[in-house]
Amino acid sequence: MRNLKYLVLGFCGLFLMSCEDDVLEVVPKDALAENTAFVSASTIELAINGVYDAAQSGFYRGSEGVAGNRGYIFGAAHIQQADMRGEDMLLINTFYGITYQATYNTTSENNRYFWENGYRVNNLANLFIVGAEQAIEGEVIDEPTGLAYIAEARFLRALTYHEMVLHFARPYTDGNGSNPGLPIVLSANNGPAAVEENEGLGRSTVAETYAQILADLDFAEANLPESRASAILTTTRATSGAAIALKTRVYLHMGDYANVITEGNKIVSAGAPFTGSGYALEAAFGPFEDNTSDESIFSMNMSANDNLNVNSALANMYGSSSLGARGEVAISPIIWNETFWDADDIRRSATFVAAGANGRLFTTKYNDYVNNADFSPILRYAEVLLNLAEAEARRGNTGRGSDLLNAVRDRYISGGMTSYGTIADANTLTQRILQERRIEYLAEGQRWKDIHRLALDPNFSTGGIPAKMLSADVSGSTYEIGTTDLTKNVGFIPYADFRFLWPLPATEVAINPTLAAQQNPGY
């Protein structure tokens, strides 16, 4: 869409990943144009890594490299922006104030660059697919290899579309997907004519958007390998298991619990200990102590040589200033004080730290304050188990649902904390699972996903965007388990309010009259 002027010449201008974990400028920036990116197996490998790099780094205010590397959308922005839309993380300064207080508009940079970088990843995936198909036809690579590459591009396209639809469109369960979704762009912007054609596209429905996401993921599952040559590549390059895991998330958002179970059972054993396809839960905080653990299904790669700058790196944004971080986002007392989070849960004592005299609590899930090399988590095995647990509970299978919930939660038992055991009532079990999700995914950008998908749930909806606290109202004494009567000066926004959705950016609607007529109401 807009700003795809960056992309018309194919893969020019991208930093190109090597086959290992670092992003290196291995060729001059203007040397890997579309007509040379698919002439050999080695250049095709560089090209697909360029698509990953676009998903990791993004641009901000039109710049590339360190100055503009804000992690749009999967380096950091998908976590930071989604957390700031929920209530469980506390904004300390003003860095994400527009998102936190829902004062965004059609020119707000945070949501503008979310959109533009999302469609940038989409277009690079489309460009890659065209080139890989031609490489197969020209026998540059064999068909299975080429299809596996195409599957990676389609996985990234599906991941991107789903992340975007959660901010710019109503949930699937509102009208069974009949509301406006996203423009579905499947042809590559590889010349002026293609750009002109795509710039006139309108919005598909939410249901059509989800259908395309699932088509991409089905293709990805069928053509991706189960694992790769090293642990780091298995975690940071798409696999069949990653496609399956993402499908459990997508079907959960659709309220299609039968298919959540069908997909989840492909990589989750019937009973405890729950494992499958090389995945397993780690003890306590394994995924954050080891970026390539058996629990880490898919993450965005970071390293000392290829990371996000201080304005977006997860450790610096979410870490305590007492540890050398910027301390922009803390844990909110809203979640900390909840009694459903057991006082003896190890996650309370082992992963959070107070920052100086004000006593606010910060996560230590991301803790490389020097190199900013913490991977950006996107899919964890714990999520698949909780997705599956909720689907089982919703369908009345409370025995297995309870076992899956306990598998995730019981890793953190200490002191007087005990396992839930079997929760026989389906609604009670579902509530416990949803509470566990808030605890387990804290500071991982998952809270907004649940607020969005549950917006119209008759039993578990928040009713809109929850009320939040201001940092001025939070000190060390505010954190007290059981004290839930808290001052919330960022007001509740009901689901029907236009601010539940982000606007389509002004830069986009200005050049696309079709989209201008399809702007989200209220903007």
Side-chain angles (χ1 to χ4, degrees):
M1 310 300 281
R2 191 184 186 276
N3 273 347
L4 295 183
K5 61 189 179 184
Y6 295 106
L7 310 175
V8 170
L9 296 179
F11 294 92
C12 293
L14 283 179
F15 288 106
L16 300 170
M17 280 188 189
S18 72
C19 298
E20 300 302 325
D21 63 326
D22 295 338
V23 172
L24 303 173
E25 222 176 321
V26 295
V27 293
K29 287 187 180 182
D30 61 350
L32 197 59
E34 196 174 358
N35 62 340
T36 59
F38 299 94
V39 298
S40 69
S42 60
T43 56
I44 292 171
E45 178 74 7
L46 290 172
I48 191 61
N49 281 314
V51 184
Y52 282 98
D53 191 55
Q56 180 236 38
S57 301
F59 61 87
Y60 195 78
R61 295 177 179 170
S63 59
E64 298 282 356
V66 174
N69 189 348
R70 297 288 181 87
Y72 281 86
I73 61 177
F74 292 110
H78 76 291
I79 292 177
Q80 295 163 345
Q81 292 290 80
D83 276 344
M84 291 297 89
R85 300 203 74 186
E87 78 278 37
D88 289 344
M89 299 298 290
L90 174 73
L91 179 65
I92 300 303
N93 297 309
T94 60
F95 203 86
Y96 308 108
I98 290 172
T99 305
Y100 195 72
Q101 300 192 47
T103 57
Y104 29 74
N105 56 48
T106 60
T107 62
S108 301
E109 293 178 327
N110 291 144
N111 39 289
R112 170 190 170 181
Y113 290 116
F114 209 94
W115 175 280
E116 291 184 0
N117 278 285
Y119 275 100
R120 180 192 194 217
V121 174
N122 177 77
N123 188 58
L124 285 171
N126 291 341
L127 285 165
F128 182 89
I129 290 167
V130 171
E133 289 173 342
Q134 293 172 350
I136 295 170
E137 184 178 350
E139 299 183 347
V140 176
I141 50 177
D142 61 64
E143 185 174 32
T145 300
L147 291 177
Y149 275 127
I150 292 170
E152 288 188 83
R154 292 188 67 169
F155 171 84
L156 290 171
R157 186 169 70 185
L159 179 69
T160 303
Y161 273 139
H162 193 245
E163 198 69 29
M164 293 180 70
V165 80
L166 303 183
H167 292 286
F168 294 99
R170 296 283 171 180
Y172 188 97
T173 52
D174 185 342
N176 200 32
S178 60
N179 285 301
L182 300 173
I184 301 299
V185 184
L186 302 180
S187 59
N189 282 325
N190 53 5
V195 171
E196 184 176 356
E197 177 184 354
N198 284 336
E199 282 183 343
L201 284 177
R203 299 173 72 171
S204 300
T205 65
V206 169
E208 290 167 338
T209 305
Y210 270 76
Q212 181 58 50
I213 291 167
L214 289 170
D216 280 345
L217 293 177
D218 285 340
F219 182 92
E221 179 193 353
N223 291 283
L224 286 170
E226 186 172 307
S227 62
R228 296 186 179 274
S230 66
I232 195 168
L233 291 176
T234 299
T235 301
T236 59
R237 293 278 292 268
T239 60
S240 58
I244 293 166
L246 185 51
K247 281 199 283 185
T248 70
R249 178 188 292 176
V250 170
Y251 279 122
L252 193 67
H253 278 262
M254 297 173 70
D256 187 345
Y257 304 118
N259 269 317
V260 175
I261 294 170
T262 297
E263 296 298 331
N265 284 344
K266 294 176 181 178
I267 56 175
V268 179
S269 58
F274 296 104
T275 60
S277 299
Y279 303 121
L281 291 174
E282 294 283 342
F285 313 103
F288 299 96
E289 295 171 350
D290 175 7
N291 284 325
T292 62
S293 75
D294 287 343
E295 188 172 331
S296 302
I297 297 177
F298 182 71
S299 299
M300 200 55 65
N301 194 6
M302 303 289 165
S303 72
N305 293 329
D306 176 37
N307 54 33
L308 305 179
N309 68 27
V310 70
N311 285 329
S312 55
L314 289 166
N316 271 294
M317 293 290 99
Y318 282 46
S320 166
S321 60
S322 65
L323 298 176
R326 286 183 56 171
E328 296 286 346
V329 179
I331 308 297
S332 174
I334 291 173
I335 181 64
W336 185 267
N337 293 7
E338 285 286 359
T339 55
F340 64 70
W341 188 356
D342 197 287
D344 289 328
D345 191 319
I346 293 173
R347 287 170 292 192
R348 285 190 181 274
S349 60
T351 61
F352 306 113
V353 62
N358 60 30
R360 298 175 187 133
L361 300 181
F362 290 80
T363 183
T364 55
K365 281 186 172 180
Y366 318 106
N367 50 49
D368 187 345
Y369 309 109
V370 176
N371 293 317
N372 298 324
D374 301 283
F375 284 11
S376 174
I378 295 173
L379 292 164
R380 289 203 286 124
Y381 199 54
E383 180 191 348
V384 175
L385 266 58
L386 291 179
N387 292 347
L388 189 53
E390 183 177 340
E392 294 281 20
R394 299 271 194 171
R395 290 176 64 82
N397 303 321
T398 57
R400 189 178 188 222
S402 296
D403 290 343
L404 287 158
L405 167 61
N406 290 326
V408 175
R409 180 177 178 272
D410 288 359
R411 297 181 290 173
Y412 309 106
I413 287 177
S414 71
M417 182 179 174
T418 59
S419 176
Y420 284 140
T422 299
I423 301 172
D425 180 75
N427 272 353
T428 301
L429 175 57
T430 301
Q431 183 67 63
R432 291 284 186 268
I433 293 166
L434 295 175
Q435 291 167 347
E436 181 65 22
R437 293 173 72 92
R438 289 178 67 183
I439 302 166
E440 177 66 17
Y441 308 143
L442 194 61
E444 295 182 53
Q446 292 278 20
R447 178 59 179 149
W448 175 251
K449 292 179 173 63
D450 284 345
I451 292 170
H452 186 272
R453 73 178 174 90
L454 297 170
L456 296 179
D457 191 287
N459 298 310
F460 307 111
S461 174
T462 62
I465 302 176
K468 308 170 191 178
M469 301 190 74
L470 291 173
S471 61
D473 297 323
V474 177
S475 64
S477 61
T478 318
Y479 295 91
E480 184 177 349
I481 300 171
T483 302
T484 55
D485 184 16
L486 297 164
T487 301
K488 300 175 184 177
N489 282 319
V490 180
F492 168 77
I493 297 174
Y495 174 70
D497 190 286
F498 74 96
R499 290 170 292 175
F500 190 84
L501 300 184
W502 281 350
L504 309 187
T507 50
E508 190 68 58
V509 300
I511 62 171
N512 187 336
T514 305
L515 281 184
Q518 298 174 334
Q519 176 63 277
N520 284 328
Y523 294 105

